[in-house]
Amino acid sequence: MIVFEGMSVTYPDATAATLRDVSLTVARGELCLVTGESGSGKSTLLRTVNGLVPHFSGGLLTGRVLVDGRDTRTHPPRELADVVGFVGQDPEAGFVADTVEDELAYGMESIGVAPDVMRRRVEETLDLLGLVDLRHRALRSLSGGEQQRVAIGSVLTTHPSVLVLDEPTSALDPPAAEEVLAVLVRLVHDLGLTVLLAEHRLERVVQYADRVLHLPGHGDPFLDGTAAEVMALSTVVPPVVELGRLAGWAPLPTSVRDARRAAPDLHARLTTAPGSRSDAAAGVSADVTATTRKLCASYAGVTALRGVDLTLRAGEICALMGRNGAGKSTVLAHLAGLREPTSGEVRVGGIPPATRSLRSARQISRVVGLVPQDPGTLLYATSVAEECRDADRESDLPAGSTAAVLDRLAGEIDAGAHPFDLSEGERLRVALAVVLAPGPRLVLLDEPTRGLDYAAKARLADVLRELTARGASVLLATHDVELVAEVAHRVVVLADGEVVTDGPVTEVLTHSPAFAPQVAKVLAPGLWLTVGDVERALVGAP
């Protein structure tokens, strides 16, 4: 169905090819997962399939990419739209219509589908992706995860033969991600759709893949095989595979179910109970950094928050979780002073938002820092280096301060690159560096691991721990249960704008089927959350 013949891609002004000499075939009716570190070329590979590379992006493509016999060098995206459906990392950027129902219909209008067929397909897609209650909603009023489902639905209505998805579950809560993946598997198995997708959260998707392609990065080899074959050799693996390596299981598991079958021997070796991150020994202070009291908020005719009480303390990492649309981003916006409450009170460092608004940007940056879901809104300069210099100057920091934080977070990023030429994960890390460099007392992060590989997430976790060790508070609004298991002291769960759970991370995650990390699912009813927890317990075992 998709054939790559000696394909290489080099972008203008790049010192090396992003992809080099890729030759492989993706068969019809195959779900193929593309993995690799951030910046390894996953998005570029996907964009060659519908002709966005090189017709839209520019650069030089050598070799050939054939899709259902069509050469993408001579067929631009509009001539491939009937066979390839594409959903990028930023779904909002691809929207054309104003409402959900109109967006689902737009692609079919473009290729001349009959009105009665359009109506039927829209209804089928609304049911398939759980969008019925959103059909008349304005796209701009949707949460990030809701927008992602609409974007997937808008290409499914055209009934393409190939579906290409870049980070399709990155903005989805765990149950919604499972629903979308179940739909994709059903489309592959029942309709013979060919699905090519890139995803960093391998714990969600690797068990569904018929085939895995691992793109090389930092000396890693190109890998192509079944999930089990690639996971055995790859440096980019989900927690369940890491656990299998630690326990010495063979073959390595790629799903929780496989790991659970191999786990009895590990249960017998785990005699030491895991430690807690929720008590004073973890470094959490009694000093209050921020509070909300009976916080209520509404906008666009939608009630977003209903009496939210929240207290954040110095040295604490608190995870804010819940379904898409539960109100997580709205809480962050109020703490950052970007929205006025309908009723209730918000205080950060004892300062109400009205007083904060009179302070300079330099003063505010030392009190509260927010990285929103779209980190590009924080970036204005024409290069990464200029962005770092501007951030130092605006926050009155010593020269090189922001660049030093970026080095910690990112490793290697081209300082001369335009921020919008970076991958989603690289752009996020630049925005994080800009916000974290002034050392704010309250750090607010909205989906901070979207587009980050496992190595980048580990570096982010280290930086967050350093922040809290210096007395800062961190509030993460996230669907990434593995990050929460790794760094959080406490979890607050929102539902329909209300707090329904607020407790220690171990207690909340191990009692929730939806939010439990892979290790907790494998070793239930034990209280281990991460591979590190298990490793420390094994070291302490007799």
Side-chain angles (χ1 to χ4, degrees):
M1 191 65 192
I2 308 171
V3 180
F4 298 90
E5 295 181 349
M7 186 268 290
S8 298
V9 177
T10 305
Y11 288 113
D13 302 323
T15 57
T18 299
L19 295 170
R20 187 186 302 277
D21 196 26
V22 176
S23 295
L24 58 97
T25 299
V26 179
R28 188 181 300 274
E30 191 169 60
L31 196 160
C32 183
L33 170 64
V34 182
T35 71
E37 298 177 1
S38 296
S40 61
K42 299 184 298 299
S43 295
T44 296
L45 181 74
L46 300 187
R47 288 169 179 265
T48 65
V49 176
N50 75 332
L52 284 173
V53 174
H55 296 286
F56 179 78
S57 66
L60 175 66
L61 185 150
T62 58
R64 292 199 305 172
V65 181
L66 302 175
V67 183
D68 203 19
R70 302 182 200 180
D71 191 331
T72 64
R73 295 175 304 176
T74 56
H75 289 74
R78 65 179 179 275
E79 295 178 9
L80 294 166
D82 63 323
V83 68
V84 181
F86 182 88
V87 180
Q89 290 184 2
D90 181 5
E92 189 175 11
F95 289 152
V96 177
D98 294 323
T99 67
V100 170
E101 196 169 46
D102 289 345
E103 184 65 27
L104 295 181
Y106 178 80
M108 293 184 289
E109 292 175 343
S110 302
I111 61 175
V113 175
D116 59 330
V117 177
M118 288 172 54
R119 176 63 185 273
R120 185 183 73 247
R121 290 186 184 177
V122 166
E123 294 300 325
E124 291 171 349
T125 304
L126 288 169
D127 288 333
L128 194 65
L129 294 176
L131 297 171
V132 174
D133 292 340
L134 304 178
R135 67 187 306 156
H136 300 304
R137 286 273 299 275
L139 293 170
R140 67 178 180 275
S141 73
L142 302 180
S143 71
E146 290 166 341
Q147 290 179 345
Q148 187 83 320
R149 279 188 284 163
V150 173
I152 293 171
S154 69
V155 299
L156 286 180
T157 56
T158 64
H159 283 197
S161 302
V162 176
L163 185 58
V164 179
L165 304 126
D166 200 355
E167 299 280 345
T169 74
S170 62
L172 300 181
D173 60 66
E178 288 293 332
E179 290 174 8
V180 168
L181 291 169
V183 168
L184 295 178
V185 170
R186 191 157 69 246
L187 292 171
V188 169
H189 291 179
D190 295 349
L191 301 180
L193 191 71
T194 302
V195 175
L196 184 67
L197 65 90
E199 183 63 72
H200 281 301
R201 297 185 186 178
L202 302 186
E203 64 272 10
R204 289 182 167 182
V205 69
V206 71
Q207 64 266 34
Y208 301 117
D210 299 307
R211 181 177 178 188
V212 177
L213 306 176
H214 177 76
L215 301 185
H218 298 98
D220 288 349
F222 177 87
L223 301 173
D224 178 5
T226 66
E229 291 168 344
V230 172
M231 292 298 101
L233 300 172
S234 177
T235 57
V236 180
V237 298
V240 73
V241 174
E242 279 192 89
L243 184 66
R245 289 176 176 175
L246 176 66
W249 296 333
L252 286 172
T254 58
S255 69
V256 168
R257 187 182 184 192
D258 291 340
R260 198 178 285 128
R261 289 170 174 167
D265 69 310
L266 184 57
H267 273 289
R269 295 161 59 192
L270 289 171
T271 58
T272 304
S276 171
R277 283 183 243 126
S278 60
D279 54 20
V284 178
S285 166
D287 296 336
V288 174
T289 304
T291 59
T292 69
R293 290 290 177 265
K294 300 187 182 305
L295 174 61
C296 294
S298 61
Y299 53 93
V302 177
T303 300
L305 299 177
R306 307 169 190 270
V308 172
D309 290 335
L310 183 65
T311 299
L312 302 174
R313 293 179 171 82
E316 179 181 49
I317 300 177
C318 179
L320 192 60
M321 306 185 76
R323 290 187 294 270
N324 292 113
K328 301 184 296 298
S329 297
T330 304
V331 170
L332 266 60
H334 281 81
L335 286 166
L338 301 180
R339 289 188 179 276
E340 288 292 328
T342 304
S343 62
E345 183 183 63
V346 179
R347 287 181 175 268
V348 177
I351 306 170
T355 306
R356 253 188 293 157
S357 65
L358 301 176
R359 295 187 166 207
S360 69
R362 183 176 300 172
Q363 290 172 313
I364 292 172
S365 70
R366 286 178 164 80
V367 175
V368 59
L370 168 67
V371 179
Q373 279 193 28
D374 180 5
T377 59
L378 300 181
L379 307 177
Y380 303 97
T382 57
S383 72
V384 173
E386 184 182 349
E387 201 74 63
C388 292
R389 288 194 295 269
D390 288 351
D392 288 342
R393 183 171 59 254
E394 290 170 5
S395 298
D396 196 24
L397 298 172
S401 298
T402 303
V405 175
L406 181 59
D407 285 343
R408 287 285 323 280
L409 287 169
E412 298 177 3
I413 283 185
D414 182 0
H418 193 290
F420 287 90
D421 289 335
L422 302 175
S423 71
E424 182 86 3
E426 291 170 328
R427 190 158 57 247
L428 171 62
R429 281 175 275 177
V430 175
L432 280 167
V434 168
V435 168
L436 297 181
R441 293 182 59 194
L442 174 63
V443 178
L444 308 170
L445 305 178
D446 202 350
E447 293 296 343
T449 59
R450 189 173 180 179
L452 297 190
D453 58 40
Y454 290 114
K457 284 205 293 187
R459 290 194 291 268
L460 172 61
D462 288 340
V463 170
L464 296 182
R465 292 187 189 104
E466 289 180 9
L467 285 170
T468 55
R470 296 201 298 266
S473 297
V474 176
L475 181 62
L476 305 168
T478 183
H479 298 306
D480 192 335
V481 297
E482 301 298 341
L483 176 72
V484 173
E486 193 67 45
V487 303
H489 303 102
R490 175 171 148 235
V491 177
V492 176
V493 180
L494 292 181
D496 196 26
E498 296 179 305
V499 174
V500 295
T501 303
D502 185 346
V505 61
T506 303
E507 177 182 318
V508 175
L509 294 192
T510 55
H511 287 80
S512 170
F515 298 125
Q518 284 196 312
V519 170
K521 291 178 179 178
V522 171
L523 297 177
L527 301 179
W528 293 273
L529 298 180
T530 69
V531 176
D533 290 341
V534 176
E535 186 172 20
R536 287 186 289 273
L538 290 176
V539 169

